[in-house]
Amino acid sequence: VKKSPDMQVAQEQVNPAIEALKKQVEANPKDNNALVNLAVAYQEGKDWTNALETWKKVTTALPDWAPAYYSEGYVYQSLKDVPNATSSYQKYISLVKPEELEASKANLAYAHFFVAYSQFETNKEEAKKNIAKSLEYDATNADAIKLKEALDK
C-alpha cells in the first residue's frame, strides 16, 4: 500500500511524548507535573494553540506559580498577541517571590523588557520604570539598552 503524502504528514505530527502525557493527564487530571510537561511539550513543538490552552489549565491549577505565566506570555508573544503577552508577563513579574529573584533574573529581565517595549507608545513613564528594572536584572542586554536610549530621548 502506497501512502499518500497527506498520510505521512499526519503520521509525522503524532508526537509519542505528547500522546503519553495526554493519557497521563486524562488518567489523573490533578497531576500538575504531567500538565506542565504537556504544556512544555506543546510549546517546544511550536503547537501554540494547545500550548496556550494547557498553560491556562496550569495557571488555573497553580494560580501562584510564576513560571506558568512567563510561559503563557511567551506563547501569547509567539502568537503575536501583545496585549495578552504583556498581561501574562506582568502577572509573572508580580508573582516571583523574593527567594526566587536570583534564579529568575534572566526571565525577569526579559519580562520587564517586553512590558516596557509594549508600553513604548502608550505609557512612556511606565516603560521607563520597566526598562530600568530589566537593566537591573541584566545590564548587558543590547535591546534593552537601545530601548532605554529611545525612551530617554
Side-chain angles (χ1 to χ4, degrees):
V1 177
K2 190 174 180 201
K3 292 180 183 172
S4 74
D6 290 343
M7 282 174 62
Q8 280 182 311
V9 169
Q11 283 182 333
E12 288 168 17
Q13 288 176 343
V14 173
N15 179 329
I18 287 176
E19 293 308 308
L21 286 165
K22 281 168 45 178
K23 286 183 178 133
Q24 200 176 336
V25 170
E26 284 170 22
N28 184 1
K30 296 210 182 302
D31 183 348
N32 293 325
N33 285 334
L35 196 59
V36 168
N37 289 337
L38 180 59
V40 168
Y42 281 134
Q43 190 170 314
E44 287 175 349
K46 296 185 177 9
D47 181 346
W48 304 125
T49 303
N50 282 317
L52 181 59
E53 182 181 310
T54 309
W55 280 121
K56 285 181 175 183
K57 289 177 184 173
V58 173
T59 59
T60 299
L62 303 167
D64 296 328
W65 191 54
Y69 294 95
Y70 184 88
S71 294
E72 188 181 81
Y74 177 82
V75 172
Y76 275 125
Q77 185 182 346
S78 299
L79 291 167
K80 306 209 179 329
D81 183 342
V82 173
N84 280 316
T86 301
S87 178
S88 293
Y89 284 135
Q90 286 172 318
K91 183 79 172 172
Y92 165 75
I93 290 165
S94 74
L95 288 173
V96 173
K97 295 173 180 73
E99 64 272 17
E100 298 168 342
L101 282 177
E102 196 58 39
S104 303
K105 277 187 172 180
N107 286 354
L108 281 164
Y110 184 79
H112 278 288
F113 167 77
F114 187 88
V115 171
Y117 182 81
S118 74
Q119 295 169 329
F120 183 80
E121 297 294 331
T122 57
N123 191 341
K124 284 216 179 353
E125 288 312 306
E126 280 301 308
K128 285 179 183 181
K129 289 178 192 171
N130 275 293
I131 205 63
K133 275 301 224 186
S134 178
L135 289 166
E136 186 181 310
Y137 292 121
D138 179 5
T140 64
N141 183 309
D143 290 331
I145 292 166
K146 283 181 201 161
L147 183 57
K148 182 182 184 325
E149 288 168 358
L151 283 163
D152 288 343
K153 284 183 182 174

